[in-house]
Amino acid sequence: MSRRPPLTGEDRLIDWLRRRLDAPLIGDDAAVLPPGGPFAVTVDHQIAGVHFSPGLDPALLARRLLAVNVSDLAAMGASPAYAFLALAAPAGFDHKRFFTALLAACRTYGSRLAGGDLAKSPHGVTAALTLLGTKDENGRWLRRDGASPGHDLWLGGSAGESAAGRMLIERGARLAGRRVELPPFLEAFSSLRPAASRAVRRHLQPRPQLELGRWLSHRSEGAAMDVSDGVARDLHRLCRASGVGAEIGASDLPLPQRFTFLCETIGADPLTLALEGGEDYVLLFTLPAGLTPPPEFTCRRIGTITKRRGVALLLSDGESNGERRELPDLGWDHLTNESSASSGK
């Protein structure tokens, strides 16, 4: 239990890269430039066949592209300011629909499209967005290395719902206008329609937690990051950055209403999806014991930061008589191109 688990392909590469950089700026959800500010800078892709199904409505793609980048800024305590787009799309792509939705979303988040590049793609759509953000004058930049033993560990919302939505989309679910069309096999489970529809929307329409990030930036202590690759994997990253460990309770993980029944119906394990599914885009953060986020943020305390370095422990939910067991560093890995949750590992 005391041995540091081996890093995965993506984390191993980033660790190798950091050792070769002078005064490395990488390692958080965004880079603060120049060191100390005034900007936090992040970049993220949306690639057809990897992040979304080919044929996705260009308007949905545009809003999702911006939202996942804004989530990185939320994890830094920042607000979006300027955006730069690199878009490669095949012939027939509805560029005007894409840009109409992107500009509207930028206005919603207080950001401005400031430039970019357009290209033709012979295969599918690839969109990359670089986003610059700023923080409040009296706020601080949030980082992954601010966790201390004794801090409470919090999650900004439910986990696993986006992964369930991805599975439903792979089986035929889609968002048609304002209505979610579900696969035929769910027709016999009318009571699951709200939960299934919510999961599909959660995957296609993530909602970054900007206000929570701003609130955290005005607290004097604590670490933060957004959950994109799964609670388990991202918790390991936070612990490595801070040189600490964590204990979390399986029964403390916030699961959506009727989520367990939905998972049983689609052949998934709810705890596995919650821990390893990824693309939740909620904030994972720590606070000094006794400090509680305002109730409007609907956060949930899921555990405690410990002195044991580099290893997160899972407190059983009772199925194993309260036994503690190691929480593996599992989740999405971009270089292996697989998720342990979806592959059944």
Side-chain angles (χ1 to χ4, degrees):
M1 298 275 298
S2 61
R3 294 177 59 188
R4 177 175 170 173
L7 298 181
T8 62
E10 180 186 359
D11 288 334
R12 185 184 302 115
L13 177 61
I14 293 174
D15 187 57
W16 174 88
L17 185 59
R18 281 175 58 86
R19 294 195 302 270
R20 283 155 178 80
L21 294 174
D22 295 328
L25 297 170
I26 63 176
D28 286 296
D29 287 270
V32 177
L33 299 175
F39 290 109
V41 184
T42 184
V43 61
D44 214 332
H45 280 86
Q46 292 289 289
I47 303 172
V50 177
H51 300 93
F52 63 93
S53 299
L56 182 68
D57 181 347
L60 273 176
L61 170 59
R63 290 191 288 266
R64 193 176 199 272
L65 173 67
L66 181 59
V68 301
N69 275 272
V70 170
S71 185
D72 282 337
L73 293 184
M76 301 294 293
S79 300
Y82 301 102
F84 295 84
L85 171 73
L87 174 65
F93 182 79
D94 194 338
H95 287 83
K96 289 185 177 180
R97 182 168 177 79
F98 176 93
F99 277 106
T100 298
L102 181 65
L103 293 175
C106 281
R107 289 192 292 270
T108 298
Y109 291 120
S111 179
R112 296 173 63 186
L113 183 63
D117 180 68
L118 296 176
K120 182 178 180 180
S121 169
H123 303 295
V125 179
T126 296
L129 195 72
T130 299
L131 202 58
L132 281 70
T134 59
K135 66 176 178 63
D136 294 345
E137 182 178 356
N138 297 322
R140 67 182 178 94
W141 297 114
L142 300 176
R143 298 173 55 96
R144 298 179 183 184
D145 62 2
S148 298
H151 278 189
D152 286 336
L153 181 66
W154 293 82
L155 200 59
S158 61
E161 199 169 33
S162 177
R166 182 177 65 242
M167 294 178 68
L168 287 168
I169 291 169
E170 290 170 351
R171 300 181 189 188
R174 69 187 190 99
L175 188 58
R178 297 185 178 181
R179 184 175 183 274
V180 176
E181 296 181 357
L182 297 174
F185 76 90
L186 279 178
E187 292 179 358
F189 302 93
S190 58
S191 63
L192 280 180
R193 169 168 284 279
S197 298
R198 195 169 54 242
V200 171
R201 292 184 187 278
R202 178 76 178 274
H203 184 71
L204 293 176
Q205 300 173 313
R207 295 183 178 181
Q209 298 185 306
L210 275 175
E211 292 299 325
L212 174 58
R214 294 190 189 106
W215 183 86
L216 290 171
S217 77
H218 288 274
R219 311 282 78 78
S220 61
E221 296 180 52
M225 66 180 298
D226 86 327
V227 177
S228 57
D229 296 332
V231 171
R233 174 138 295 162
D234 288 327
L235 177 55
H236 274 274
R237 289 169 175 162
L238 186 147
C239 287
R240 282 196 297 270
S242 295
V244 297
E247 293 184 358
I248 68 172
S251 60
D252 293 322
L253 289 169
L255 302 181
Q257 188 176 16
R258 299 188 69 78
F259 179 70
T260 298
F261 185 21
L262 176 63
C263 288
E264 292 173 352
T265 304
I266 63 178
D269 176 63
L271 184 58
T272 299
L273 287 193
L275 289 171
E276 305 169 23
E279 295 190 295
D280 297 298
Y281 299 111
V282 295
L283 297 188
L284 176 69
F285 60 95
T286 75
L287 289 171
L291 180 58
T292 301
E296 60 264 29
F297 293 135
T298 63
C299 301
R300 180 79 169 263
R301 181 188 177 278
I302 62 170
T304 304
I305 298 298
T306 68
K307 292 181 179 180
R308 184 184 293 272
R309 299 186 60 179
V311 177
L313 301 177
L314 176 65
L315 295 177
S316 170
D317 59 2
E319 295 180 0
S320 303
N321 300 317
E323 177 187 352
R324 292 182 180 185
R325 54 188 174 93
E326 183 178 357
L327 178 63
D329 183 358
L330 294 176
W332 179 262
D333 188 288
H334 295 272
L335 295 189
T336 61
N337 196 31
E338 66 179 18
S339 167
S340 52
S342 62
S343 64
K345 291 185 178 180

